[in-house]
Amino acid sequence: MHTTIPTLRSEAVRLPALVVGDLTLDQRTREARRAGVEIKLSPTEFELLRLLMHHPGRVLSKALILHRVWAYDFAGQGNVVELYISYLRRKIDARRPPMIHTVRGVGYTIRPAG
């Protein structure tokens, strides 16, 4: 029996767009839009936003984010999470009601504005 392994290209075609409120992230084209306005993201910003949008309303710890986005297994790099969260906030929440929230002592979450 011959089993085929899907290629990255075929996997990308099946990835659905993620939607939280008026924010859309197309996983196939790697494009983000808020209220129809395109938002340019670096590869790391894209991965961080994708992780948050896969779990809307759920608070993700810095340790989990580090592990999933940067594959770090130690707490000493928590400031990189804070830095990239600030980059995303400037782009996603700029002059709009905020979607990215800090839960002090726990982590970060994304939820629809309002």
Side-chain angles (χ1 to χ4, degrees):
M1 175 180 238
H2 182 355
T3 305
T4 60
I5 298 172
T7 64
L8 288 176
R9 179 166 289 177
S10 67
E11 283 295 316
V13 170
R14 292 194 305 254
L15 292 174
L18 300 172
V19 179
V20 176
D22 65 351
L23 179 63
T24 303
L25 187 68
D26 186 321
Q27 297 182 89
R28 188 178 52 80
T29 63
R30 303 179 72 88
E31 292 176 350
R33 293 186 178 278
R34 181 149 185 209
V37 177
E38 186 176 358
I39 300 166
K40 300 281 187 196
L41 299 174
S42 73
T44 303
E45 292 166 344
F46 172 84
E47 292 301 332
L48 176 55
L49 184 58
R50 178 163 60 176
L51 176 63
L52 290 169
M53 290 182 74
H54 266 288
H55 306 282
R58 181 175 163 204
V59 180
L60 304 180
S61 70
K62 284 184 191 179
L64 176 81
I65 293 169
L66 275 169
H67 178 72
R68 295 276 185 86
V69 177
W70 286 272
Y72 291 165
D73 240 355
F74 52 93
Q77 295 295 320
N79 59 335
V80 75
V81 174
E82 293 168 4
L83 181 64
Y84 275 85
I85 288 288
S86 73
Y87 293 160
L88 277 182
R89 280 185 172 137
R90 281 187 227 140
K91 293 178 177 188
I92 303 299
D93 294 342
R95 297 176 297 281
R96 300 179 191 120
M99 294 184 71
I100 300 171
H101 302 275
T102 301
V103 178
R104 297 233 182 263
V106 182
Y108 300 95
T109 187
I110 191 167
R111 60 180 180 257

